[in-house]
Amino acid sequence: MRSVAPVGAGPGRGRVVLATYGSPGDLNPYLALGRELARRGHPVAIATSAGHAARVGAAGLECRPVRPDRDPDRPDPDLIERVRHGLRSPAAVFREMFMPELEASYHDLVAATADADLLVSHTLAFAAPLVAETTGIAWASAVVQPLGFFSGYDPPVLGPPALVEALRRAGPRATRPAIRAAKQATGPWTRPWHDLRRKLGLPAVRTNPVFAGQHSPRLVLALFSPLLGRPQPDWPAHVVVCGFPFPDGERPPLPEALRAFLDAGPPPVVFTLGTTAVNDAGRFYEVSAGAAASVGRRAVLVTGRDPANRPSGLPDGMVAVPWAAYESLFPFAEAIVHQAGIGTLSRAMEAGKPMLAMPYAHDQPDNAARARRLGIARVVPRRRYATGRVAQELAVLLGLERYAQRAAAVGAAVRRETGVATACDAIETLLGERGDGA
């Protein structure tokens, strides 16, 4: 029986290890869960790349390093672009991005969970299901964006958007064969995972860990708003749609100079590239400043730490800052322009602001398409992000009241969600079921 509603907190208590891999956006949901579980009395550790240790420690949690030691501040390679330019084969790029040091990761995660009662894993922690199978530890998995379910009934945007939209209109009879073909085509990419299974003495399986093996058979936490993705007939069993996992607590204060700027005039357009794409900004901020000037809007450019991202000679009515907490900044915006990473998108939705999305890669095109279908966003491809085009898109976005009205309604709904509490209730229920054969 598939569960899609919040579950009440059970009596289960135990040590929990949360395993994640990727950018700060992949870490933050697990920090939020970890802090709430710790508040409820559970010993908690975060198993992740050593490069995230400082962030984990700042959240008051224990970090247990698991290879690969990904640099959280480097830009992710763009799979599509690298393949398109003939630099690498798709299989080679996939293995480099998502499956490096798989055996080392497995052994690190076995050690990290040695004293744990429950393992909760990110979809990119490919060693986690192997650890659960070899050690017998209770295991839950989590998906931070709808793309992670690869549903034939709600197909993700992977490939040319026009083709995906045609498949979506055709319905599951067309999309399910397309996804089966994708599973077959990418099967060889995951050979290291199957090789490790053999080495560990586990039985051979036909599972493609990208599409299905990542999901626990007992509990799957969907850590996103149901507005972005609702349960589908081909989702795995035991899914709990939690809502966005926003941490409780006070919102970080904005820098004084930024707050003074915000108070000095009408709401600005905020331009940002999140925590990872900002390391490969190109001309994004220069183009953005020009577009904002063209439509007569004030602007805040969140440029990251690289001084090269800051345009020279910003006009009056514009300011560039290295960073500002989205939950504190976005409510002051008239609109938000971003790369459609799930963390950035979630905060823009929470703030109730219309947005222009310029997706880079990975889940971002799908996230952007879902925001567009919600009626809260327009989308411009990265290769077409030029001053004139962006100005046109902003003029439409800001000129049609329906975008602001719909975004405000979505924001109100998102703010009513209880993502962290719902996820932790489900985790405690699973802890309470240990050993009962459920």
Side-chain angles (χ1 to χ4, degrees), residues 38-351:
R39 188 192 68 78
R40 296 184 182 199
H42 302 275
V44 178
I46 305 289
T48 190
S49 301
H52 286 312
R55 289 180 171 90
V56 175
L61 300 171
E62 176 190 359
C63 182
R64 297 183 177 180
V66 173
R67 287 168 286 183
D69 187 10
R70 180 191 187 279
D71 179 355
D73 295 317
R74 72 168 173 83
D76 279 336
D78 186 324
L79 173 63
I80 297 173
E81 289 300 314
R82 294 178 70 184
V83 172
R84 180 179 297 156
H85 291 296
L87 299 178
R88 304 293 291 277
S89 72
V93 173
F94 176 85
R95 289 169 184 162
E96 178 183 322
M97 292 170 67
F98 300 124
M99 303 192 81
E101 301 186 66
L102 179 63
E103 184 172 354
S105 178
Y106 165 82
H107 290 295
D108 289 346
L109 193 53
V110 168
T113 57
D115 62 348
D117 300 295
L118 176 67
L119 169 63
V120 181
S121 66
H122 185 283
T123 53
L124 296 182
F126 287 108
L130 302 178
V131 171
E133 194 169 351
T134 56
T135 68
I137 188 173
W139 170 48
S141 58
V143 176
V144 298
Q145 68 280 102
L147 177 146
F149 289 124
F150 295 102
S151 171
Y153 292 84
D154 184 18
V157 176
L158 290 171
L163 174 60
V164 174
E165 189 57 36
L167 288 172
R168 174 179 289 277
R169 288 195 300 269
R173 286 187 178 181
T175 55
R176 283 182 292 178
I179 290 178
R180 283 198 299 269
K183 291 179 181 179
Q184 292 173 353
T186 58
W189 301 8
T190 63
R191 189 168 293 119
W193 188 84
H194 291 279
D195 291 343
L196 182 55
R197 284 188 64 85
R198 259 192 319 273
K199 188 172 182 178
L200 295 173
L202 296 173
V205 294
R206 301 183 65 181
T207 299
N208 184 327
V210 176
F211 289 87
Q214 59 183 296
H215 301 307
S216 165
R218 297 187 67 181
L219 173 63
V220 182
L221 303 171
L223 297 176
F224 52 78
S225 172
L227 294 172
L228 278 188
R230 295 192 177 277
Q232 301 298 321
D234 56 353
W235 278 20
H238 308 297
V239 173
V240 176
V241 181
C242 303
F244 292 125
F246 298 133
D248 292 332
E250 295 183 4
R251 299 183 179 240
L254 295 171
E256 289 186 11
L258 175 57
R259 185 57 194 258
F261 172 83
L262 295 170
D263 291 341
V269 178
V270 173
F271 297 85
T272 182
L273 287 178
T275 57
T276 300
V278 71
N279 297 304
D280 186 23
R283 298 184 62 247
F284 174 82
Y285 292 103
E286 178 184 346
V287 168
S288 299
S294 294
V295 295
R297 265 15 187 230
R298 298 190 337 136
V300 174
L301 310 177
V302 184
T303 60
R305 296 185 298 181
D306 186 348
N309 288 349
R310 181 188 176 104
S312 59
L314 282 176
D316 291 340
M318 296 190 193
V319 64
V321 296
W323 185 248
Y326 290 163
E327 62 267 39
S328 302
L329 172 60
F330 284 179
F332 289 95
E334 181 181 17
I336 302 160
V337 182
H338 59 84
Q339 85 295 358
I342 193 63
T344 308
L345 174 62
S346 67
R347 286 299 189 181
M349 289 175 64
E350 179 201 31

